[in-house]
Each structure stands twice: as structure tokens, then as C-alpha cells.
């Protein structure tokens, strides 16, 4: 564990890094996301709940990296800490931290039936509803409508088309005076975000999903190798070498400043790109991520849930907060103002939601049929599996290994992680 995570743990233990004044009633401490507007929207909704109930909400400061967030939570769980009541849970975590989460079934009282069944199933472990869906996610391709029109190009449907168009527009814009123009930016640093990107490359080339539903390791195949080779070819050509250290916000920063033709990111970046101070306002389009050759477009399933830590001293009140934050009204507000994908199908037919996010309607099937990471098949070993995968992908992107040798080594590594017939 790194120094930052240890410092967050210490801050939590000492009650530091939290906001919110004391008030009459129960005090609930919640952790919110850190990317984009996550914190601001969570703060807004929790303030509303506080006014309705007379309770107080404190916000626990957490790291930006999902890996560090999970590390922090695990340290708190090990101590059976009551320092946090409600936590945001990545879609791949329920099975990993199941023993530390409260069963929300008795508190939901059937409200979960309004949400996407696949997400409810994802959050239900051993018959217990361990998390309520908060917002869902899937990777999408952002592009500059104005620049593609300027160069007579259309939104790409294959990675090869994207590569060629990115190079053409990038070269043209650099000759026109923008030396900072890039062709494509994405999440390329060695962390969970690269697992999401690389899974999209592999799956869209017909290379599977690392580990199949039966638990068999399938990633060492020619299609996966081709996918990684294609991505490696972007580094230093249409993508800056710095992309090897990019997370979501790094990529968004470059794209939103007007310095990239294409960007892979999550839907949250849409509302930010359309802000009044955005240099690319009204110049951005959103489409499916490209496919590889004869493959199919693939978007990694993302999104976050809300759970109550079972060590909470006020589980019923904490559960009430979770039910409020995941309610239709709050999800609609977050969708309109922050472009967060609702987990309630009915909201995809809401006129106000579609007006704010036109692509929610056209890409609905993309969000519903997003490719899950192999968290269910690998259970508590998922984090080791993901780390091995993102590190293998990073070695290829950085030119330290050929795709075939990286995947062969990955296959052997995953065999060691599995150690036997079952994960």
C-alpha cells in the first residue's frame, strides 16, 4: 500500500478530511467518487437528504485511484471501523468485499425491481442485496464533430478507421498551427482504467474477456494479441507517449482543451465538455467505441453502487440515505446535470434526460449490453487478475514486450493466481 493510502487511513481514523457541521440527530459518514463532478453531486443530494431528515452527513475524503480506494476500505474493514457508514462500490467489488456489507434487501422493500436486473444481480451475493445501483457506465468514443467535418471524415466504426482519421486530422491541425493536437487519448496508465480500455480492445477483436464465465483463462489468443498490437501502434503516433500515465481526468483535460480528435472515456465527460467554459462546447459527438475488423463494438461495463458497511452504528439511517441517493428523482437530476447514466430503465425514456444527453437514446443498447469484467468468475481473486492484465497490457503499450509474449506470460501468471480447479 502506498503512502497516500496510509495517510487517508490515518485521516479517517482521526476524523480528518471530512466536511459537514454537527447537527441534531444521527451523523452518517459517506464516501463519494472523486472523478469529475462526483463529489459535488453527491454533496448536493446528501444535503437535500439532511434537510428532509434532520440528520447530518459527513464526507470521507478518499483517493482518486479505484485501487487505492479499495485498499483504504479493506484497511477499515480489517479494523471493523465505524468511521464510514455508506460507501460507493465499484461494479466489480460486491463479491470481493461481500462479508463487510449490509444486506439492503429489508430496507429496499422491492425498490430494486425498478433498476436494471443485471445490475441488481451483480449486487446480489449469496442471496443478499449488498448494494443499490447508483449509476451505470460504459466506455464511449468522443470525437470532434467540427474537425471531422472539416476534413471530410465521419465517425469511425473500426479501430483502423479511427487510427487513419485521427492521423489525418492531427497532421492537418498541426500544420495549421496547433502543435499540441493529438489524434486519440485514453486511459493508459497501469491501473483499473487500463483493464477497462484493454478489455474493450480485446473483446472488440473477438478475443474474449480475459476469463470466460466458466472460469477458464482465455486471453492468450491471436485476436487478443492483434488488439494489443493495434493499441501499441498508437503510442507516439496518434497518441502522446504521456498517455501511458493517463487516467480519466488526464484524457479529458487534453480533449476538452481542444487538443485531441478522439477520446475514450465514460459518459460523465459529456456534461463537462458542454459546460459554458468548455473550449469544445457544441463541437463534440459521442458514438460506440470502434470494432476490430470483423468483430463487434465492445464497451466495458462500469458504474458505481452504494452500500452500507455492516459495522455502521446506524445501519437503518444509513440505508435510508442509500435509498434516497439511488432514487429516481436523484438519478434523474444527476443524469440531466452531470450526464450520469441512470440504472432505472424508465429514465432513458424521459424527455428531459434525453434532451440533456442525446446519446443516451442512441447508445442505450451499448449501456445495457456492456461487457462485464470477469469479477464474477474470479471472485475475490479479481483484483489480482485485473492487475496482471493491466500490467501485461502496459508492457505492450510501452514497447517492453511483444503482445504474444506478454499474453503468454499473463496466461501463466493467471494460472498461478488461480491455483487449482477453482478461483
Amino acid at each position: 500500500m502506498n503512502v497516500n493510502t496510509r495517510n487517508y487511513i490515518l485521516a479517517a481514523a482521526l476524523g480528518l478530511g471530512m466536511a459537514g457541521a454537527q447537527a441534531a440527530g444521527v451523523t452518517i459518514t459517506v464516501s463519494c467518487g472523486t472523478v469529475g463532478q462526483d463529489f459535488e453531486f453527491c454533496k448536493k443530494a446528501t444535503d437535500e437528504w439532511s434537510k428532509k431528515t434532520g440528520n447530518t452527513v459527513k464526507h470521507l475524503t478518499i483517493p482518486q485511484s479505484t485501487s487505492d480506494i479499495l485498499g483504504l476500505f479493506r484497511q477499515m474493514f480489517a479494523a471493523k471501523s465505524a468511521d464510514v457508514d455508506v460507501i460507493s462500490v465499484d461494479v466489480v467489488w460486491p463479491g470481493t468485499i461481500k462479508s463487510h456489507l449490509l444486506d439492503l434487501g429489508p430496507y429496499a422493500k422491492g425498490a430494486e425491481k425498478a433498476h436494471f436486473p443485471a445490475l441488481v444481480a451483480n449486487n446480489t451475493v449469496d442471496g443478499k442485496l449488498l448494494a443499490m445501483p447508483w449509476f451505470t457506465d460504459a466506455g464511449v468514443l468522443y470525437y470532434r464533430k467540427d474537425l471531422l467535418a472539416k476534413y471530410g471524415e465521419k465517425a469511425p466504426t473500426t479501430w483502423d478507421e479511427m487510427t487513419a482519421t485521427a492521423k489525418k486530422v492531427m497532421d492537418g491541425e498541426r500544420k495549421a498551427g496547433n502543435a499540441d493536437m493529438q489524434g486519440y487519448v485514453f486511459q493508459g496508465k497501469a491501473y483499473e482504467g487500463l483493464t477497462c480500455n484493454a478489455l474493450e480492445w480485446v473483446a472488440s477483436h473477438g478475443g474474449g474477456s480475459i476469463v470466460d464465465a466458466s472460469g477458464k483463462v482465455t486471453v492468450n489468443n491471436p485476436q487478443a494479441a492483434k488488439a494489443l498490437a493495434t493499441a501499441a501502434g498508437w503510442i507516439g503516433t496518434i497518441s502522446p507517449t504521456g498517455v501511458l500515465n493517463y487516467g480519466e481526468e488526464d484524457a479529458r483535460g487534453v480533449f476538452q482543451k481542444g487538443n485531441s480528435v478522439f477520446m475514450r472515456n465514460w459518459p460523465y465527460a459529456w456534461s463537462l465538455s458542454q459546460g459554458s467554459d468548455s473550449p469544445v462546447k457544441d463541437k463534440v459527438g459521442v458514438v460506440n467505441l470502434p470494432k476490430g475488423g470483423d468483430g463487434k463494438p465492445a464497451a466495458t461495463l462500469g458504474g458505481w453502487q452504494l452500500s452500507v458497511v455492516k459495522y455502521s452504528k446506524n445501519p437503518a439511517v444509513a440505508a435510508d440515505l442509500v435509498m434516497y441517493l439511488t432514487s429516481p428523482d436523484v438519478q434523474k437530476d444527476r443524469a440531466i446535470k452531470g450526464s450520469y447514466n441512470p440504472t432505472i430503465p424508465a429514465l432513458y425514456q424521459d424527455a428531459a434526460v434525453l434532451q440533456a444527453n442525446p446519446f443516451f437514446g442512441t447508445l442505450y443498447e451499448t449501456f445495457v449490453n456492456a461487457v462485464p469484467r470477469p469479477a464474477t468468475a474470479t471472485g475475490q481473486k479479481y483484483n489480482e487478475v485485473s492487475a496482471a492484465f493491466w500490467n501485461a497490457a502496459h508492457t505492450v503499450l510501452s514497447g517492453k514486450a511483444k503482445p504474444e509474449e506478454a499474453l503468454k506470460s499473463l496466461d501463466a501468471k493467471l494460472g498461478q493466481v488461480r491455483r487449482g480447479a477453482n478461483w
Side-chain angles (χ1 to χ4, degrees), residues 186-412:
F186 58 95
Q187 296 74 54
K189 73 177 180 181
Y191 79 121
E192 186 67 22
L194 179 52
T195 286
C196 295
N197 279 252
L199 176 58
E200 291 163 349
W201 306 333
V202 170
S204 70
H205 279 80
S209 57
I210 311 171
V211 175
D212 68 16
S214 70
K216 180 182 178 181
V217 178
T218 60
V219 73
N220 186 17
N221 64 73
Q223 292 82 10
K226 183 177 180 181
L228 292 182
T230 296
W234 300 329
I235 308 303
T237 55
I238 63 170
S239 301
T241 55
V243 80
L244 295 173
N245 288 309
Y246 278 15
E248 284 85 355
E249 285 294 86
D250 303 296
R252 184 180 71 83
V254 174
F255 183 80
Q256 194 165 314
K257 287 177 182 176
N259 291 329
S260 187
V261 184
F262 295 106
M263 171 182 69
R264 183 272 180 204
N265 218 318
W266 306 101
Y268 85 93
W270 168 258
S271 65
L272 295 168
S273 75
Q274 299 308 299
S276 59
D277 60 345
S278 171
V280 296
K281 177 177 169 57
D282 298 326
K283 299 177 181 179
V284 178
V286 183
V287 292
N288 280 322
L289 286 164
K291 63 181 181 179
D294 296 328
K296 297 179 180 180
T300 297
L301 176 66
W304 290 78
Q305 337 300 312
L306 290 176
S307 299
V308 174
V309 178
K310 76 174 187 179
Y311 311 115
S312 169
K313 295 179 180 178
N314 298 287
V317 180
D320 185 73
L321 174 58
V322 167
M323 297 312 300
Y324 178 78
L325 294 177
T326 58
S327 67
D329 286 346
V330 173
Q331 288 209 15
K332 178 176 178 178
D333 184 66
R334 286 167 56 88
I336 293 172
K337 298 176 182 176
S339 64
Y340 290 96
N341 283 68
T343 62
I344 299 170
L347 290 176
Y348 287 83
Q349 299 176 2
D350 186 283
V353 171
L354 293 177
Q355 182 178 3
N357 308 279
F359 65 94
F360 275 17
T362 57
L363 297 187
Y364 176 77
E365 293 301 322
T366 297
F367 301 132
V368 174
N369 298 313
V371 179
R373 284 162 278 177
T376 301
T378 57
Q380 296 192 35
K381 296 288 186 66
Y382 171 73
N383 291 310
E384 291 180 72
V385 171
S386 183
F389 180 60
W390 82 53
N391 282 323
H394 200 266
T395 61
V396 176
L397 293 179
S398 59
K400 296 179 180 178
K402 297 294 183 181
E404 292 79 8
E405 61 188 35
L407 291 175
K408 182 178 180 180
S409 296
L410 174 61
D411 187 58

Side-chain angles (χ1 to χ4, degrees), residues 63-256:
Q64 286 199 357
S65 164
T66 53
S67 301
D68 285 345
I69 294 170
L70 183 58
L72 167 62
F73 289 161
R74 280 178 158 163
Q75 289 295 315
M76 298 179 80
F77 295 156
K80 297 184 177 181
S81 172
D83 287 340
V84 64
D85 302 279
V86 175
I87 61 173
S88 50
V89 174
D90 196 351
V91 70
V92 295
W93 291 356
T96 300
I97 58 175
K98 61 182 181 180
S99 60
H100 306 288
L101 304 179
L102 184 74
D103 181 4
L104 293 175
Y107 304 96
K109 299 178 181 178
E112 72 277 9
K113 295 178 182 178
H115 298 255
F116 286 124
L119 288 177
V120 175
N122 179 84
N123 298 345
T124 302
V125 183
D126 300 331
K128 298 178 180 179
L129 180 64
L130 301 183
M132 280 295 293
W134 191 22
F135 67 93
T136 189
D137 249 343
V140 292
L141 183 72
Y142 291 81
Y143 68 96
R144 287 285 299 276
K145 295 189 298 183
D146 58 327
L147 293 181
L148 264 60
K150 177 180 177 180
Y151 290 88
E153 297 293 338
K154 60 182 181 180
T157 59
T158 68
W159 290 114
D160 286 345
E161 288 176 1
M162 191 277 291
T163 302
T165 300
K167 186 72 164 60
K168 177 181 178 179
V169 178
M170 180 186 76
D171 288 347
E173 289 301 290
R174 287 184 176 183
K175 288 179 181 177
N178 185 359
D180 294 326
M181 179 60 73
Q182 303 294 336
Y184 182 49
V185 291
F186 58 95
Q187 296 74 54
K189 73 177 180 181
Y191 79 121
E192 186 67 22
L194 179 52
T195 286
C196 295
N197 279 252
L199 176 58
E200 291 163 349
W201 306 333
V202 170
S204 70
H205 279 80
S209 57
I210 311 171
V211 175
D212 68 16
S214 70
K216 180 182 178 181
V217 178
T218 60
V219 73
N220 186 17
N221 64 73
Q223 292 82 10
K226 183 177 180 181
L228 292 182
T230 296
W234 300 329
I235 308 303
T237 55
I238 63 170
S239 301
T241 55
V243 80
L244 295 173
N245 288 309
Y246 278 15
E248 284 85 355
E249 285 294 86
D250 303 296
R252 184 180 71 83
V254 174
F255 183 80
Q256 194 165 314

